[in-house]
């Protein structure tokens, strides 16, 4: 084990701030990158969505942080999220920056803080809006070996992360290929340049809202797909990670899913998730779905569900058809809105040809997903060993 030191014993820690939004001269034509905590989702931070002016920087508590600073989010759903800054920037008050020093390798610190995020989250306070403080960050203890060892560990983890990220990128490229095939065969689904007939979704199948399950302890267990299971993929056929819910009475058959049912996210605080679509394959398992979802079950022989789920993977189409989703803080959609959506409906023979091509891509993606699991397992294993001195 390496000797531990608190962060403030070997480097400086600063927290950002927000220039007054009522003063245009602090924002208009600004060229100083200004980050919010959401930008830390990049992990390796390479861009900023917002910029402030020199006046904005001088007249606020925001401070410039140099390249190679390690950023950590202080509040909300991103609490404890860590980012590595690749350019000089400032940030808002929800972000603390750990500055470079002669005592540590920034990438080493980045990986260590990532490895303890679950502990940081458990230490956070505030209930629905968890947060930590700059003072907390300063007192985090870091195992700090000699710089040569830190560099060695950071390089091993960089290599493992590169392998994992390369595999993730391959999945993205397969998804892009599916979308390219869609456009080639069907054209833009909003413009409908190919003149396909259109039909309302409500005439092609039936909808049913999920249930808000209450937990019990009498041993009736069933897997329930929730919003957290809507990842960045179109089909779900591996149910190993779906959570069980124990309840006093198992749901009626009408609330159980069948192969090729589609689920839509009905309501969520994250508007990006609302309307997300997922096709499920459950086999012989009894699986239900949460009250935050709406199920669509095909009733028409003129529709192939693989075509439909790929249609809803197109972000511009989803944005277009759900532009009337209701709600301010929590957007939501309903069966009526879904049923009125008009979709282009090419001949079923063409949809089936498309589905065969997508099936080939999905088979290749399954192989890549297995590779990704192995590369993530390797990375996590190295991450746990690294700071115990087991990689040196």
């Amino acid at each position: 084990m390496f000797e531990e030191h608190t962060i403030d014993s070997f480097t400086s820690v600063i927290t950002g701030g927000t220039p007054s939004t009522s003063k245009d001269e602090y924002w208009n034509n600004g060229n100083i990158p200004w980050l919010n905590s959401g930008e830390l989702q990049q992990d390796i931070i390479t861009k900023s969505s917002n910029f402030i002016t020199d006046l904005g920087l001088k007249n606020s508590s925001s401070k410039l942080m140099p390249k190679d600073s390690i950023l950590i989010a202080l509040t909300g759903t991103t609490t404890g999220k860590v980012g590595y800054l690749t350019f000089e920037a400032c940030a808002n008050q929800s972000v603390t920056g750990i500055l470079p020093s002669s005592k540590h390798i920034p990438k080493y610190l980045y990986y260590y803080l990532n490895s303890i995020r679950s502990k940081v989250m458990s230490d956070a306070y505030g209930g629905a809006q968890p947060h930590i403080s700059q003072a907390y960050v300063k007192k985090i203890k870091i195992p700090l070996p000699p710089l040569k060892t830190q560099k060695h560990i950071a390089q091993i983890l960089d290599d493992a992360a590169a392998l994992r990220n390369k595999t993730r990128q391959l999945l993205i490229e397969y998804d892009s290929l599916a979308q390219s095939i869609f456009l080639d065969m069907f054209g833009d689904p909003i413009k409908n340049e190919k003149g396909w007939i259109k039909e309302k979704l409500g005439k092609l199948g039936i909808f049913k809202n999920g249930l808000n399950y209450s937990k019990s302890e009498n041993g009736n267990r069933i897997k329930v797909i929730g919003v957290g299971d809507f990842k960045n993929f179109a089909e779900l056929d591996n149910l190993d990670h779906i959570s069980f819910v124990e309840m006093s009475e198992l749901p009626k058959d009408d609330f159980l899913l069948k192969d090729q049912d589609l689920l839509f996210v009905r309501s969520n605080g994250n508007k990006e998730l609302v309307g997300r679509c997922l096709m499920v394959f459950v086999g012989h398992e009894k699986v239900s779905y949460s009250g935050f979802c709406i199920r669509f079950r095909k009733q028409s022989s003129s529709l192939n569900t693989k075509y439909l789920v790929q249609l809803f993977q197109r972000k511009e189409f989803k944005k277009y058809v759900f532009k009337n989703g209701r709600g301010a803080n929590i957007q939501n959609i309903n069966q009526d809105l879904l049923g009125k959506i008009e979709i282009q409906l090419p001949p079923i023979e063409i949809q089936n040809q498309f589905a065969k091509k997508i099936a080939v891509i999905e088979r290749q993606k399954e192989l890549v997903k297995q590779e990704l699991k192995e590369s993530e397992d390797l990375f996590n294993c190295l991450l746990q060993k690294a700071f115990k001195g087991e990689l040196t």
Side-chain angles (χ1 to χ4, degrees):
M1 293 291 290
F2 304 125
E3 185 176 345
E4 293 186 336
H5 301 266
T6 60
I7 289 177
D8 65 352
S9 71
F10 61 85
T11 190
S12 299
V13 180
I14 62 175
T15 297
T18 302
S20 173
T21 54
S22 64
K23 295 187 178 292
D24 291 343
E25 62 268 29
Y26 292 173
W27 299 90
N28 290 351
N29 301 314
N31 60 2
I32 301 171
W34 181 82
L35 307 168
N36 56 45
S37 59
E39 303 278 19
L40 274 61
Q41 299 288 3
Q42 298 178 56
D43 295 323
I44 306 299
I45 303 169
T46 58
K47 61 183 179 180
S48 174
S49 301
N50 300 289
F51 297 85
I52 61 174
T53 63
D54 287 325
L55 274 176
L57 179 63
K58 291 175 183 177
N59 291 282
S60 72
S61 56
S62 197
K63 303 176 182 66
L64 275 175
M65 296 175 288
K67 175 180 178 290
D68 298 324
S69 293
I70 305 303
L71 311 185
I72 184 165
L74 299 179
T75 186
T77 57
T78 56
T79 299
K81 181 66 180 172
V82 182
Y84 185 97
L85 190 60
T86 62
F87 53 91
E88 186 179 58
C90 55
N92 70 9
Q93 58 274 15
S94 296
V95 176
T96 276
I98 304 168
L99 307 189
S101 79
S102 60
K103 301 290 182 66
H104 78 282
I105 301 296
K107 265 294 183 69
Y108 171 87
L109 182 59
Y110 165 78
Y111 284 123
Y112 179 74
L113 290 174
N114 266 298
S115 76
I116 64 165
R117 190 186 177 196
S118 58
K119 181 185 184 306
V120 173
M121 288 293 291
S122 67
D123 290 343
Y125 55 94
Q129 190 74 1
H131 57 278
I132 55 176
S133 65
Q134 184 195 69
Y136 172 88
V137 174
K138 287 182 175 181
K139 296 305 177 184
I140 294 175
K141 291 183 177 180
I142 309 295
L144 215 59
L147 289 176
K148 183 179 179 181
T149 303
Q150 292 183 44
K151 187 175 182 180
H152 173 68
I153 290 172
Q155 185 60 60
I156 291 175
L157 294 174
D158 268 347
D159 291 344
L163 176 63
R164 178 194 60 184
N165 294 340
K166 183 179 179 181
T167 312
R168 285 177 177 171
Q169 183 60 36
L170 188 54
L171 281 176
I172 293 172
E173 289 173 4
Y174 273 126
D175 286 336
S176 296
L177 175 60
Q179 290 298 297
S180 295
I181 293 172
F182 184 99
L183 277 178
D184 182 59
M185 293 184 69
F186 305 118
D188 187 314
I190 299 174
K191 297 177 181 177
N192 193 22
E193 308 104 325
K194 298 197 176 188
W196 306 116
I197 64 169
K198 287 192 170 186
E199 187 59 271
K200 290 182 178 179
L201 203 52
K203 292 187 176 182
L204 300 171
I206 55 175
F207 298 98
K208 192 169 187 65
N209 285 11
L211 293 173
N212 294 314
Y213 292 107
S214 56
K215 294 184 178 181
S216 175
E217 296 183 358
N218 69 347
N220 288 317
R221 301 173 77 236
I222 188 171
K223 287 184 176 180
V224 175
I225 296 175
V227 175
D229 300 308
F230 283 71
K231 310 297 183 184
N232 290 319
F233 45 73
E235 300 181 11
L236 176 65
D237 56 7
N238 185 343
L239 306 176
D240 292 345
H241 301 294
I242 303 300
S243 299
F244 278 99
V245 173
E246 294 190 0
M247 57 190 69
S248 56
E249 185 178 350
L250 290 176
K252 297 178 180 178
D253 287 349
D254 204 24
F255 289 98
L256 298 179
L257 293 166
K258 296 181 178 180
D259 283 349
Q260 297 194 41
D261 278 346
L262 268 62
L263 291 177
F264 291 89
V265 176
R266 179 182 65 80
S267 177
N268 193 261
N270 181 354
K271 293 184 178 182
E272 292 298 314
L273 282 175
V274 174
R276 184 169 289 185
C277 180
L278 181 69
M279 183 161 65
V280 298
F281 293 86
V282 297
H284 298 295
E285 286 198 66
K286 288 189 175 183
V287 183
S288 190
Y289 54 105
S290 83
F292 292 102
C293 303
I294 299 175
R295 186 200 69 208
F296 172 82
R297 181 166 291 165
K298 184 187 81 165
Q299 300 290 300
S300 172
S301 60
S302 63
L303 176 68
N304 187 305
T305 47
K306 279 186 179 288
Y307 162 75
L308 183 60
V309 74
Q310 288 295 327
L311 173 63
F312 277 95
Q313 300 312 302
R314 299 198 60 79
K315 291 182 180 179
E316 66 274 18
F317 177 77
K318 187 166 78 75
K319 183 178 180 181
Y320 174 76
V321 296
F322 292 131
K323 61 186 177 183
N324 294 321
R326 301 176 304 170
N329 296 325
I330 299 180
Q331 187 181 13
N332 63 84
I333 59 175
N334 54 35
Q335 294 185 29
D336 183 59
L337 178 61
L338 283 169
K340 291 179 180 177
I341 293 173
E342 280 194 334
I343 66 167
Q344 59 181 29
L345 199 63
I348 188 62
E349 295 81 10
I350 300 178
Q351 294 182 49
N352 291 342
Q353 290 173 19
F354 172 74
K356 288 180 180 179
K357 294 180 180 182
I358 293 301
V360 173
I361 292 175
E362 289 297 329
R363 285 196 293 271
Q364 293 302 312
K365 283 177 64 177
E366 285 304 313
L367 297 176
V368 177
K369 286 176 184 177
Q370 182 58 39
E371 290 180 20
L372 178 58
K373 182 180 183 304
E374 292 171 2
S375 64
E376 287 180 335
D377 288 346
L378 172 63
F379 177 80
N380 290 329
C381 177
L382 292 173
L383 196 65
Q384 294 307 311
K385 289 184 175 183
F387 309 107
K388 298 176 183 177
E390 298 176 7
L391 295 184
T392 56

